[in-house]
Amino acid sequence: MRKTKNFTSEEIQKILDWLLSQRLRNYGYYWRDFRRLSDYASKLRRKIRQNYDSLVISEKVKTGDFMNGRLEIEDGQVFYVVGQSFNEEYINLMAEILERINAYNRRQWLS
């Protein structure tokens, strides 16, 4: 059975490990745009590593429904159903998880 919310600590660890193992793909971006996305993703991965333990134990993270239920876990496998662009959605997913423990402020980073 696939789960989209009410994750256990072990499932959150698998999700975080999956996020940290993903890399962006350049499928037609201009170099400068891809570099900007890569830098942004790198900063978010660093934030996840720094806050890893807090994310694993946070009830706000465990009960979350991420990206409208597109992040799923089944039998220890993480699945993500991409709507538009994996790169942008991957960045948004990391930002959403970090915002749940106030380790990231999207508005501050955009300025």
Side-chain angles (χ1 to χ4, degrees), residues 52-85:
Y52 191 91
D53 293 334
S54 299
L55 289 164
V56 169
I57 63 172
S58 170
E59 288 302 318
K60 289 182 181 177
V61 174
K62 288 181 189 177
T63 58
D65 170 13
F66 299 106
M67 303 298 282
N68 297 318
R70 290 185 291 175
L71 176 69
E72 305 171 341
I73 194 161
E74 179 180 30
D75 298 327
Q77 287 284 89
V78 177
F79 298 95
Y80 185 76
V81 180
V82 177
Q84 292 291 323
S85 161

Side-chain angles (χ1 to χ4, degrees), residues 8-100:
T8 65
S9 293
E10 293 78 21
E11 290 169 333
I12 292 296
Q13 284 179 318
K14 289 193 182 287
I15 289 169
L16 295 176
D17 292 342
W18 177 81
L19 284 170
L20 292 172
S21 72
Q22 299 301 303
R23 293 296 175 254
L24 299 184
R25 296 168 193 89
N26 189 349
Y27 41 80
Y29 290 98
Y30 289 114
W31 179 86
R32 186 177 297 160
D33 295 332
F34 184 71
R35 188 76 214 146
R36 180 183 47 82
L37 286 173
S38 297
D39 289 346
Y40 198 36
S42 179
K43 288 176 184 178
L44 289 168
R45 280 193 293 271
R46 190 174 316 117
K47 278 279 201 195
I48 286 176
R49 279 188 216 98
Q50 291 169 350
N51 294 284
Y52 191 91
D53 293 334
S54 299
L55 289 164
V56 169
I57 63 172
S58 170
E59 288 302 318
K60 289 182 181 177
V61 174
K62 288 181 189 177
T63 58
D65 170 13
F66 299 106
M67 303 298 282
N68 297 318
R70 290 185 291 175
L71 176 69
E72 305 171 341
I73 194 161
E74 179 180 30
D75 298 327
Q77 287 284 89
V78 177
F79 298 95
Y80 185 76
V81 180
V82 177
Q84 292 291 323
S85 161
F86 176 80
N87 292 343
E88 283 89 355
E89 290 189 20
Y90 168 67
I91 288 169
N92 288 335
L93 177 59
M94 288 191 293
E96 183 179 340
I97 289 172
L98 286 165
E99 282 179 328
R100 299 228 174 154

